[in-house]
């Protein structure tokens, strides 16, 4: 079964507008964390934001915020004031448990295109 | 402060040949991960090292694949008798020791393998 689901294969957003990228996850472990990574066409994975399952507040990093709804098992990424440089693939990912391994499972990704 | 580096960036090989990739993590990072990413998919975990010890391997890592991290610094990933299905981007990531509130993994630029 898919652990991470991203139902939007492609998204378009007007420059300077906000956009929400959806992510749902599946785990029975009470301790886990959700990530969002950005992958531009150059290929390098860029860390954006992290939310721990026990964190009381939604994570924010500059223009990025994570809308964490634990009961619904969703961890949507909100990008405010989109910029042309935001055009990239975006991956939601999850780590489970509290081991030193920190194996991360990635979703299939959403391609975001910012329109001038 | 240099990031994670990988060499080569691109490799084209004929089916049946052996290939070896190298990853140099960020210095002081004792945790090292290898991922494989095929076109249109998110990265898939292959293996994890803590210092020189290989602590976890995915079932994706068939017996044609071997990874080493002999002195706990750089790592190599070797694929023997390459097959066309091995064509992918191979990503390396590293993490520092101890706990981190973000659990961020720092990714290299990847090695793109094409098997003809």
């Amino acid at each position: 079964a898919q652990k991470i689901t991203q139902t939007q294969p492609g998204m378009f957003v007007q420059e300077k507008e906000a956009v929400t990228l959806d992510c749902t996850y599946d785990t029975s472990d009470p301790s886990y964390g959700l990530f969002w990574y950005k992958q531009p066409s150059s290929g390098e994975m860029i860390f954006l934001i992290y939310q721990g399952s026990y964190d009381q507040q939604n994570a924010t990093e500059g223009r990025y915020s994570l809308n964490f709804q634990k009961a619904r098992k969703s961890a949507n990424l909100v990008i405010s004031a989109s910029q042309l440089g935001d055009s990239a693939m975006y991956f939601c990912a999850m780590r489970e448990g509290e081991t030193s391994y920190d194996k991360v499972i990635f979703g299939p990704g959403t391609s975001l295109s910012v329109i001038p | 402060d240099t990031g994670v580096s990988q060499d080569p960036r691109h490799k084209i090989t004929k089916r049946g040949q052996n290939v070896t990739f190298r990853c140099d993590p960020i210095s002081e990072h004792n945790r090292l991960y290898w991922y494989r990413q095929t076109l249109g998919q998110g990265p898939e975990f292959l293996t994890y090292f803590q210092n020189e010890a290989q602590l976890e391997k995915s079932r994706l890592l068939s017996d044609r694949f071997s990874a080493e991290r002999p002195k706990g610094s750089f790592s190599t990933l070797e694929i023997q008798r390459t097959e066309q299905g091995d064509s992918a981007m191979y990503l390396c990531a590293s993490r520092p020791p101890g706990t981190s509130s973000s659990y961020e993994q720092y990714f290299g630029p990847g090695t793109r393998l094409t098997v003809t």
Side-chain angles (χ1 to χ4, degrees):
Chain A
Q2 288 281 356
K3 291 254 184 178
I4 300 287
T5 303
Q6 294 181 254
T7 57
Q8 306 153 314
M11 289 280 286
F12 291 88
V13 64
Q14 204 76 36
E15 193 178 6
K16 300 179 185 176
E17 296 291 311
V19 63
T20 298
L21 305 184
D22 294 342
C23 172
T24 57
Y25 59 91
D26 181 30
T27 182
S28 56
D29 200 310
S31 176
Y32 57 91
L34 286 310
F35 304 80
W36 278 91
Y37 279 86
K38 171 185 177 181
Q39 188 176 42
S41 56
S42 58
E44 192 159 349
M45 299 288 285
I46 302 168
F47 168 80
L48 296 178
I49 199 166
Y50 173 81
Q51 178 88 42
S53 59
Y54 295 121
D55 293 343
Q56 295 297 312
Q57 294 190 323
N58 285 348
T60 59
E61 289 285 349
R63 294 186 300 111
Y64 305 107
S65 60
L66 199 152
N67 184 1
F68 182 46
Q69 297 187 44
K70 197 170 183 177
R72 300 175 71 177
K73 293 189 175 179
S74 76
N76 298 340
L77 176 71
V78 180
I79 305 174
S80 63
S82 298
Q83 302 171 356
L84 295 178
D86 294 336
S87 294
M89 285 292 293
Y90 288 81
F91 293 96
C92 180
M94 177 175 67
R95 61 153 198 92
E96 293 177 291
E98 290 294 341
T99 70
S100 65
Y101 304 160
D102 294 330
K103 184 173 70 175
V104 175
I105 301 166
F106 286 83
T110 294
S111 175
L112 178 66
S113 297
V114 180
I115 305 165
Chain B
D1 179 26
T2 56
V4 178
S5 61
Q6 293 187 244
D7 184 68
R9 295 291 307 275
H10 303 273
K11 178 72 177 178
I12 300 173
T13 191
K14 292 186 176 179
R15 189 177 50 169
Q17 298 293 306
N18 299 344
V19 293
T20 300
F21 310 140
R22 176 178 171 127
C23 170
D24 286 88
I26 295 171
S27 57
E28 308 109 39
H29 283 197
N30 67 331
R31 305 178 199 179
L32 187 146
Y33 307 78
W34 284 99
Y35 293 86
R36 181 174 69 186
Q37 185 178 22
T38 52
L39 210 58
Q41 301 295 319
E44 296 172 292
F45 170 81
L46 290 179
T47 190
Y48 164 78
F49 288 86
Q50 186 165 308
N51 301 309
E52 65 276 6
Q54 188 175 20
L55 296 185
E56 190 167 354
K57 293 195 294 186
S58 164
R59 285 170 295 175
L60 292 173
L61 216 63
S62 75
D63 55 7
R64 296 186 298 106
F65 288 69
S66 62
E68 295 183 339
R69 195 181 182 198
K71 295 183 179 178
S73 57
F74 73 91
S75 175
T76 58
L77 178 69
E78 181 184 16
I79 309 174
Q80 296 183 327
R81 305 181 304 280
T82 51
E83 302 172 356
Q84 288 187 320
D86 296 332
S87 294
M89 175 79 89
Y90 290 84
L91 294 164
C92 177
S94 68
R95 273 195 68 203
T99 58
S100 166
S101 60
S102 75
Y103 293 87
E104 177 185 354
Q105 294 183 15
Y106 296 77
F107 281 82
T111 293
R112 182 167 296 285
L113 173 67
T114 303
V115 182
T116 61

